[in-house]
Amino acid sequence: MKCSLQLGVLLLVAACAPAEVLDRVAASVNNTPILLSQVDEAARFAAFLDGRKSASITDTDRGAALARVIDQELVRQQIRRTEFVGASDAEVATKIAELRKQLPAGGSDATWRAALAQFEVDETDLTEYVRNQLDELRFIDLRFRPSVHIGDKDVETYYRTEFLPKLQAAGAAEKPLSDVRSEIEEILLQQQVNQIFTSWLHGLRAEGRVRVLISFGPTHTAAEQAAAPDGTPQSK
């Protein structure tokens, strides 16, 4: 009887003990929560892909990561409204192989796995991260590229004012416009796509319900600029 009473007291104490807080909501995007763990993961991925040490991650990095995660959620919500076909497993594997070639840790499987472990990232996490990045870039390209037109005058102006000066500054031989026209057209096209996308994203922020609940550092700049085009946090 005494043992049963002691067990009952222990169970009561356990039930009444405060639950451990495993995660927090850092922001919400149209009622979809952005968890602090997602922000930390995004900051770790950014540092990893920049070839930095995990200890170098600061609150400024986390604020920038929160801004990116908010933007990504806004884009993903638009993707889910379409019949978008995402990146294949082969495309994801190819991109990861390219990343490995760009990073010092990618030289061997052992150093690669050790680098991932340092940032608390595993192969599954990396695959999902790369897949999301590829899907977002493809969606943006498919949505906005068809509306962009690059004229001959635009190409010629860029060639004279940007392309040739850069070649000269690098001490490289000049190339005729005919040889680099397609390269310049792609540069200008990407610039315009980025401009249109940025304006579209600002519109999504303004029209949506974006709330930033956690700021990083003494100022709110990094995180809260993601909430609205003018940097003012929204709390609709």
Side-chain angles (χ1 to χ4, degrees):
M1 183 71 177
K2 184 176 181 181
C3 291
S4 298
L5 179 61
Q6 289 175 338
L7 179 59
V9 171
L10 289 174
L11 291 174
L12 179 61
V13 171
C16 295
E20 182 182 358
V21 178
L22 300 179
D23 213 340
R24 295 172 62 191
V25 176
S28 66
V29 180
N30 295 321
N31 297 324
T32 297
I34 303 296
L35 300 179
L36 185 58
S37 59
Q38 293 175 261
V39 178
D40 286 336
E41 183 180 68
R44 283 186 274 113
F45 270 119
F48 173 72
L49 296 176
D50 286 343
R52 295 158 47 201
K53 299 293 185 182
S54 59
S56 69
I57 298 173
T58 65
D59 278 346
T60 299
D61 296 320
R62 293 183 180 90
L66 175 56
R68 289 194 302 273
V69 174
I70 288 173
D71 287 347
Q72 289 163 359
E73 178 58 31
L74 285 166
V75 173
R76 288 194 197 102
Q77 289 177 4
Q78 296 301 308
I79 290 176
R80 289 193 285 268
R81 297 178 180 180
T82 68
E83 297 180 357
F84 177 79
V85 178
S88 66
D89 291 344
E91 289 171 322
V92 174
T94 298
K95 185 61 179 179
I96 292 175
E98 292 175 0
L99 292 173
R100 285 190 59 163
K101 291 179 181 179
Q102 297 169 9
L103 296 172
S108 70
D109 289 342
T111 57
W112 182 249
R113 286 193 295 268
L116 290 175
Q118 179 192 357
F119 286 87
E120 302 177 37
V121 173
D122 60 26
E123 294 284 355
T124 302
D125 296 329
L126 181 63
T127 298
E128 182 180 2
Y129 178 85
V130 171
R131 187 184 302 279
N132 287 335
Q133 294 294 308
L134 289 176
D135 287 349
E136 289 160 19
L137 290 173
R138 177 175 294 179
F139 173 78
I140 292 167
D141 195 63
L142 289 172
R143 183 176 182 117
F144 301 114
R145 180 182 283 259
S147 63
V148 174
H149 172 72
I150 306 299
D152 290 340
K153 186 176 180 180
D154 298 325
V155 174
E156 293 166 2
T157 299
Y158 184 89
Y159 176 74
R160 289 194 314 271
T161 62
E162 299 285 344
F163 195 88
L164 285 181
K166 289 179 181 177
L167 287 180
Q168 294 165 356
E174 291 189 7
K175 298 179 181 179
L177 176 58
S178 57
D179 288 355
V180 296
R181 177 178 292 276
S182 60
E183 178 182 348
I184 292 175
E185 286 177 344
E186 182 62 25
I187 291 172
L188 294 175
L189 190 147
Q190 288 298 332
Q191 288 178 350
Q192 290 197 31
V193 167
N194 288 339
Q195 290 173 359
I196 297 171
F197 166 69
T198 299
S199 177
W200 175 76
L201 188 59
H202 284 171
L204 290 181
R205 292 174 186 160
E207 296 168 5
R209 295 174 58 87
V210 178
R211 299 182 64 197
V212 175
L213 305 175
I214 298 178
S215 61
F216 296 88
T219 65
H220 299 176
T221 304
E224 294 180 343
Q225 278 183 344
D230 60 358
T232 303
Q234 295 183 34
S235 56
K236 296 179 181 179

